[in-house]
Amino acid sequence: MSHVALVTEPIDVAALLARVSSPTVGAVASFLGTVRNVNDNRAVTGIEYSAYEEMAEREMHAIVAEAAGKFDSVAPTIAIEHRLGELSLGDVSVAIAVSHPRRAPALDACRYVIEELKKRVPIWKREHYADGTRAWVDNRNTVAVQEVTR
Amino acid sequence: MSHVALVTEPIDVAALLARVSSPTVGAVASFLGTVRNVNDNRAVTGIEYSAYEEMAEREMHAIVAEAAGKFDSVAPTIAIEHRLGELSLGDVSVAIAVSHPRRAPALDACRYVIEELKKRVPIWKREHYADGTRAWVDNRNTVAVQEVTR
Amino acid sequence: MRVGLRLFASYADALGTRSLDVTLADGATVRDALAYVRALPGADGLPPAPLVAVNAEYAPLDRTLTAGDEVALIPPVAGG
Amino acid sequence: MRVGLRLFASYADALGTRSLDVTLADGATVRDALAYVRALPGADGLPPAPLVAVNAEYAPLDRTLTAGDEVALIPPVAGG
């Protein structure tokens, strides 16, 4: 059974992996997003995440449904949790776990989920900087920077 | 610091993820191989893994070194543990955790490590079947089947 | 007809509110709801073409609204 | 000169041993070590061109061996 949740407590990654594990799968791919101490050359001290919660959950369920038939005739089992509220450095902001009988669909679906989540799930973040300032930051610039450095 | 080990006790996945996590990374990609209850339409009851241990460790270190410069100018941090001995259904046979400041190199390097590991690290498995028989199984057939079903 | 407007993150900061009930003409579209928002104080902080969701789904500008709809302006997302 | 041979998994089963010390002519290559193994009882269970490692690294057939080398026949791998 796939699982989607927005949570305010720390994400229990081991429990998320356990949710998708079973003797019928051969592969579990996962992705964790974590709060980094620097972004765009600014020293970050924490991040505050918020969401349009009903819509975020709906979009995550839509992404799970899309992934179901995209990589193999057998659907992967997918669990996604995104944390909201005040996060500290090193905290896990998002955890995605995907299992499948075979590794290629597990890896493909895991990547699909994080890429789509970053494009369209209505979640926002405000970074807190070492100099005491704060700023709303979005995934467009990050994507642009990534593409330049590839 | 990257980490490579062959182990006989159950792999502690949370500890492996913690090894590569730090406030300097933004992404942790991981892959777990688990013992599946069926392979090639035969009911599997367990798998026995063995290795040419010195060489397996050396090859895993070589794969880590190759991944260092392959996906980004910043090297990913990589931890790999492969279990040896008798494994039961659902047990984790291999765990790979890869962290990087950005997600694309983390995901790319994680996939590179599992694909290369499956091609060249000298580890072998004998499957035990529900009918009491055993057979040596290798990754060539699995790869062929995967390519046909894609 | 009355529809609910929701604002989030930087848009909520710009307009100083997170939700408001507004009255639009029957048959109004997403475009009309956006025009309403643009007339509010602080709306110069919004981009030229913000994304919009109706009842928690992305919706095009020509989507016709119904009484009771929830119209949300969606800032560039930052999940992950 | 003496070199060590190591066998693993299905190859060890086929030949009934996991390691043996053998004497090869000075200047012998991986190909010569393989020829030695092929003459052993049970060697018909090996494939025509098994992979070989010398001192824990994959090595080509024409690699010249040195006294004390460890020559391992590597069955198709199954890690993961």
Side-chain angles (χ1 to χ4, degrees):
Chain A
M1 271 301 296
S2 289
H3 163 83
V4 161
L6 297 168
V7 301
T8 51
E9 296 299 306
I11 295 172
D12 183 340
V13 175
L16 203 75
L17 293 170
R19 272 185 182 276
V20 303
S21 299
S22 90
T24 65
V25 306
V28 180
S30 78
F31 178 82
L32 310 179
T34 59
V35 178
R36 214 177 134 197
N37 61 5
V38 62
N39 186 23
D40 208 11
N41 293 318
R42 297 190 69 180
V44 173
T45 56
I47 296 183
E48 180 193 331
Y49 280 95
S50 58
Y52 179 8
E53 300 193 17
E54 311 89 284
M55 183 174 171
E57 287 177 359
R58 179 190 274 247
E59 283 294 320
M60 290 192 283
H61 280 295
I63 293 167
V64 167
E66 290 158 17
K70 206 173 179 73
F71 304 105
D72 192 69
S73 58
V74 175
T77 300
I78 300 176
I80 312 174
E81 293 191 358
H82 202 296
R83 193 166 161 198
L84 301 179
E86 302 279 344
L87 275 69
S88 306
L89 296 185
D91 281 354
V92 174
S93 52
V94 64
I96 297 163
V98 179
S99 69
H100 192 274
R102 298 181 303 100
R103 77 181 179 287
L107 290 162
D108 290 342
C110 182
R111 189 160 199 153
Y112 180 77
V113 170
I114 183 61
E115 298 298 335
E116 291 300 308
L117 185 149
K118 289 191 93 96
K119 274 183 221 162
R120 47 193 261 215
V121 176
I123 295 174
W124 300 282
K125 70 179 175 192
R126 183 149 56 171
E127 291 185 339
H128 301 194
Y129 303 105
D131 63 9
T133 62
R134 298 173 173 210
W136 295 102
V137 173
D138 67 65
N139 291 336
R140 292 173 308 175
N141 294 338
T142 313
V143 169
V145 168
Q146 284 178 356
E147 286 176 356
V148 168
T149 47
R150 280 300 294 270
Chain B
M1 271 299 297
S2 287
H3 162 83
V4 161
L6 297 168
V7 300
T8 51
E9 297 298 307
I11 295 172
D12 184 340
V13 175
L16 203 75
L17 292 171
R19 272 185 182 276
V20 302
S21 299
S22 89
T24 65
V25 305
V28 179
S30 79
F31 178 83
L32 310 179
T34 59
V35 177
R36 215 177 132 196
N37 60 5
V38 62
N39 186 24
D40 208 11
N41 292 318
R42 297 191 69 181
V44 174
T45 56
I47 296 183
E48 180 193 331
Y49 279 95
S50 59
Y52 179 7
E53 300 192 18
E54 311 89 284
M55 182 172 171
E57 287 177 359
R58 180 191 274 247
E59 283 293 321
M60 289 192 284
H61 281 293
I63 292 166
V64 167
E66 289 158 17
K70 207 171 178 73
F71 304 105
D72 191 70
S73 58
V74 175
T77 301
I78 300 176
I80 313 174
E81 293 192 358
H82 201 296
R83 193 166 160 199
L84 301 179
E86 302 279 343
L87 275 69
S88 306
L89 296 184
D91 281 355
V92 174
S93 52
V94 64
I96 296 163
V98 179
S99 69
H100 192 274
R102 298 183 303 102
R103 78 181 178 287
L107 290 162
D108 289 342
C110 183
R111 189 158 200 154
Y112 180 76
V113 170
I114 183 60
E115 298 299 335
E116 290 300 308
L117 184 149
K118 289 191 94 96
K119 275 184 220 161
R120 48 193 260 215
V121 176
I123 294 174
W124 299 282
K125 72 179 175 191
R126 184 149 54 172
E127 290 185 339
H128 300 194
Y129 303 105
D131 63 9
T133 62
R134 298 173 173 209
W136 295 102
V137 173
D138 67 66
N139 290 337
R140 292 173 308 175
N141 294 338
T142 312
V143 170
V145 168
Q146 285 180 354
E147 287 177 355
V148 167
T149 47
R150 281 299 294 270
Chain C
M1 65 180 176
R2 302 206 42 98
V3 303
L5 289 182
R6 293 189 68 178
L7 300 162
F8 296 92
S10 58
Y11 295 0
D13 283 0
L15 287 149
T17 182
R18 302 186 63 77
S19 69
L20 55 172
D21 272 325
V22 304
T23 301
L24 299 178
D26 285 356
T29 62
V30 164
R31 186 178 286 106
D32 299 320
L34 271 181
Y36 180 96
V37 173
R38 291 210 167 284
L40 296 174
D44 51 345
L46 301 190
L51 289 176
V52 175
V54 176
N55 301 332
E57 274 189 287
Y58 287 110
L61 287 175
D62 58 3
R63 159 81 175 263
T64 303
L65 300 174
T66 304
D69 277 352
E70 178 170 282
V71 178
L73 271 63
I74 309 292
V77 301
Chain D
M1 65 179 176
R2 299 199 55 90
V3 303
L5 289 183
R6 294 188 67 177
L7 300 162
F8 296 93
S10 58
Y11 294 0
D13 282 1
L15 287 149
T17 182
R18 302 186 63 77
S19 69
L20 55 172
D21 272 325
V22 304
T23 301
L24 298 178
D26 286 355
T29 62
V30 164
R31 186 178 285 107
D32 299 319
L34 271 182
Y36 180 96
V37 174
R38 292 211 167 284
L40 297 173
D44 51 345
L46 301 189
L51 289 177
V52 176
V54 176
N55 301 332
E57 275 189 286
Y58 287 110
L61 287 174
D62 58 4
R63 159 81 174 261
T64 303
L65 301 173
T66 304
D69 276 352
E70 177 169 282
V71 179
L73 273 61
I74 309 292
V77 301

